[in-house]
């Protein structure tokens, strides 16, 4: 019964498109869902961003974003597997929270934690930033696709846009030109050789790579200009500023110009921290047994930067999120809901 109900809740969410900037309809749906359960909903907005908050005085919050990337795959179901943009990232997590709230009401149990549904995570993280301007919870669980691992570490990141200059020549005369594509890959190879990107991590390794590259060549030329975007994933204990000091000279050598558009340090929680200990107790009663580390930017960064000790947890798989094959097993949605419910009860008892 829980599996079928989880599937129903998730499909309702997936059938309402909510790419970043277009979250109004799904926020209304969630608000109506919560009102039917007699939960008070506080609307937080700055005129552009909308967040929904339940139990605002709580010191432990569950946070989930309800925006997605632009739609790449329409929802459909095969057995217990639900497909569609947002299924894994992270409407499966939103469904887990809604299922938990529904079950708490049916069982006559108290909601001891706060809940916040935020917008704009995929675009700029402004929803979680707005929430943290107005609320300062002590601890948080940020819902993201972790394959039901409890992530107590989080990667740092560097994003940079760049232009690499070459020299035009006829395509049959490479010796007379400088190929901007080849120069770009020379630049990348130098960066890959840097010591920080050859380190090893407990939950993931650092990485640097090019995720976008545009090199126009309309008339059979040695390409003279490439524009691209570079992403670096850092270990939780690697300092961003130290890495930038190593990257700057390489960018200076190879590029016409470059700009860092995102930089943040990662973090790791200690085993004896309260949120980790609470999570461990909830794990013990729900047969969840893996800790891990989050490899992508999440709203947890905004929470931690504002002093809220934060773990990342949820159903779904990060590897397939944002792809045309994005999907989730609704049985994992149920398991995630049970973990969140157990944590709510443990926290409420002060264990």
């Amino acid at each position: 019964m829980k599996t079928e109900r989880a599937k129903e809740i998730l499909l309702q969410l997936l059938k309402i498109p909510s790419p970043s900037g277009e979250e109004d309809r799904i926020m209304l749906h969630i608000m109506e869902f919560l009102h039917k359960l007699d939960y008070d909903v506080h609307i937080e907005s700055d005129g552009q961003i909308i967040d929904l908050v339940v139990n605002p005085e709580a010191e432990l919050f569950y946070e989930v974003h309800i925006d997605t990337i632009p739609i790449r795959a329409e929802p459909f179901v095969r057995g217990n597997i639900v497909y569609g943009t947002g299924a894994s990232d992270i409407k499966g997590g939103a469904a887990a929270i809604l299922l938990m709230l529904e079950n708490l009401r049916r069982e006559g149990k108290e909601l001891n934690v706060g809940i916040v549904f935020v917008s704009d995570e995929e675009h700029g993280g402004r929803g979680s930033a707005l929430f943290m301007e107005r609320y300062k919870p002590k601890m948080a669980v940020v819902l993201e696709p972790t394959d039901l691992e409890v992530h107590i570490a989080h990667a740092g990141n560097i994003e940079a846009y760049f232009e690499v200059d070459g020299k035009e020549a006829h395509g049959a005369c490479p010796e007379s030109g400088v190929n901007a594509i080849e120069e770009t890959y020379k630049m990348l190879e130098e960066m890959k050789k840097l010591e920080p990107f050859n380190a090893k991590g407990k939950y993931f390794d650092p990485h640097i790579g090019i995720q976008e590259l545009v090199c126009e060549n309309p008339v059979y030329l040695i390409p003279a200009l490439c524009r691209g975007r570079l992403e670096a994933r850092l270990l939780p204990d690697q300092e961003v500023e130290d890495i930038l000091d190593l990257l700057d000279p390489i960018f200076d050598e190879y590029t016409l110009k470059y700009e860092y558009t995102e930089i943040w340090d990662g973090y790791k929680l200690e085993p004896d921290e309260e949120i980790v200990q609470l999570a461990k107790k909830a794990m013990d009663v729900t047969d969840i047994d893996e800790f891990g580390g989050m490899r992508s930017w999440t709203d947890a960064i905004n929470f931690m930067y504002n002093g809220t000790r934060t773990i990342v947890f949820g159903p779904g798989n990060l590897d397939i999120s944002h792809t045309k094959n994005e999907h989730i097993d609704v049985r994992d949605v149920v398991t995630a809901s049970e973990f969140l419910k157990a944590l709510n009860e443990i926290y409420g008892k002060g264990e």
Side-chain angles (χ1 to χ4, degrees):
M1 291 293 293
K2 287 182 179 179
T3 299
E4 289 305 310
R5 182 56 180 151
K7 189 185 303 183
E8 182 179 359
I9 292 172
L10 176 55
L11 281 171
Q12 289 172 347
L13 296 175
L14 289 174
K15 288 178 180 178
I16 304 173
S18 57
S20 301
E22 301 177 27
E23 299 98 336
D24 289 2
R25 282 182 58 208
I26 197 165
M27 284 295 194
L28 179 60
H29 169 77
I30 292 171
M31 189 162 25
E32 290 174 347
F33 187 105
L34 296 172
H35 282 160
K36 287 178 182 177
L37 296 172
D38 289 327
Y39 287 107
D40 291 331
V41 181
H42 299 255
I43 301 172
E44 296 291 345
S45 177
D46 64 359
Q48 294 181 320
I49 301 302
I50 299 174
D51 295 339
L52 302 180
V53 181
V54 179
N55 204 9
E57 302 303 319
E59 291 194 338
L60 170 59
F61 258 85
Y62 298 167
E63 187 259 29
V64 65
H65 70 89
I66 49 72
D67 63 313
T68 71
I69 63 167
I71 302 300
R72 303 191 71 209
E74 296 296 329
F76 68 95
V77 181
R78 288 180 179 165
N80 287 319
I81 310 300
V82 177
Y83 292 79
T85 298
S88 175
D89 187 11
I90 180 64
K91 289 185 177 180
I97 290 177
L98 294 177
L99 181 64
M100 179 200 74
L101 291 171
E102 191 174 77
N103 288 332
L104 287 177
R105 275 290 187 254
R106 189 179 66 251
E107 297 169 14
K109 294 181 177 179
E110 290 294 321
L111 176 65
N112 303 307
V113 304
I115 309 290
V116 57
F117 300 87
V118 306
S119 52
D120 192 57
E121 190 272 352
E122 296 288 1
H123 185 262
R126 292 181 295 164
S128 58
L130 175 67
F131 174 76
M132 291 305 297
E133 286 177 7
R134 301 180 180 184
Y135 299 85
K136 302 294 182 184
K138 181 180 179 182
M139 298 174 289
V141 180
V142 166
L143 276 287
E144 287 288 355
T146 70
D147 279 324
L148 300 177
E149 292 180 349
V150 175
H151 285 186
I152 59 174
H154 198 297
N157 181 265
I158 298 169
E159 178 186 80
Y161 282 83
F162 62 84
E163 292 185 4
V164 171
D165 192 25
K167 179 184 176 184
E168 271 191 1
H170 190 277
C173 305
E175 61 278 357
S176 298
V178 178
N179 190 316
I181 296 175
E182 294 177 1
E183 292 297 297
T184 299
Y185 280 95
K186 285 180 186 178
M187 177 183 73
L188 179 62
E189 287 305 308
E190 284 201 33
M191 292 176 174
K192 284 180 175 290
K193 291 175 183 177
L194 293 172
E195 183 178 353
F197 298 112
N198 289 282
K200 294 294 181 181
K202 182 175 182 179
Y203 300 116
F204 52 80
D205 295 333
H207 180 266
I208 188 165
I210 292 172
Q211 294 193 357
E212 292 182 35
L213 190 63
V214 177
C215 305
E216 296 180 359
N217 186 5
V219 286
Y220 192 56
L221 291 168
I222 300 300
L225 181 67
C226 285
R227 297 181 178 90
R229 178 172 60 88
L230 179 144
E231 291 273 352
R233 180 181 69 207
L234 310 180
L235 298 178
D237 56 357
Q238 290 178 326
E239 297 286 342
V240 168
E241 292 300 328
D242 293 340
I243 310 301
L244 296 182
D245 287 343
L246 298 173
L247 293 178
D248 283 341
I250 300 175
F251 273 130
D252 288 338
E253 178 182 355
Y254 283 94
T255 70
L256 277 173
K257 59 182 179 180
Y258 64 95
E259 177 185 8
Y260 296 117
T261 49
E262 288 188 13
I263 53 172
W264 75 85
D265 287 312
Y267 70 85
K268 59 181 177 181
L269 302 178
E270 298 301 325
D272 60 352
E273 294 195 45
E274 183 178 2
I275 185 60
V276 179
Q277 289 297 309
L278 289 168
K280 183 65 171 64
K281 291 174 182 177
M283 293 166 72
D284 290 342
V285 299
T286 51
D287 294 325
I288 292 172
D289 57 7
E290 293 290 335
F291 286 104
M294 172 50 62
R295 294 167 286 166
S296 175
W297 191 92
T298 73
D299 285 327
I301 294 295
N302 282 341
F303 276 67
M304 285 289 291
Y305 276 8
N306 285 277
T308 299
R309 309 305 286 175
T310 305
I311 61 174
V312 183
F313 167 82
N317 182 285
L318 185 63
D319 291 8
I320 60 170
S321 297
H322 295 195
T323 72
K324 292 180 179 179
N325 189 42
E326 184 171 349
H327 61 271
I328 195 169
D329 190 324
V330 290
R331 291 168 293 190
D332 289 344
V333 174
V334 173
T335 300
S337 183
E338 293 298 323
F339 170 85
L340 296 172
K341 182 167 170 282
L343 181 57
N344 172 73
E345 294 178 9
I346 291 166
Y347 178 70
K349 293 176 182 178
E351 295 183 7

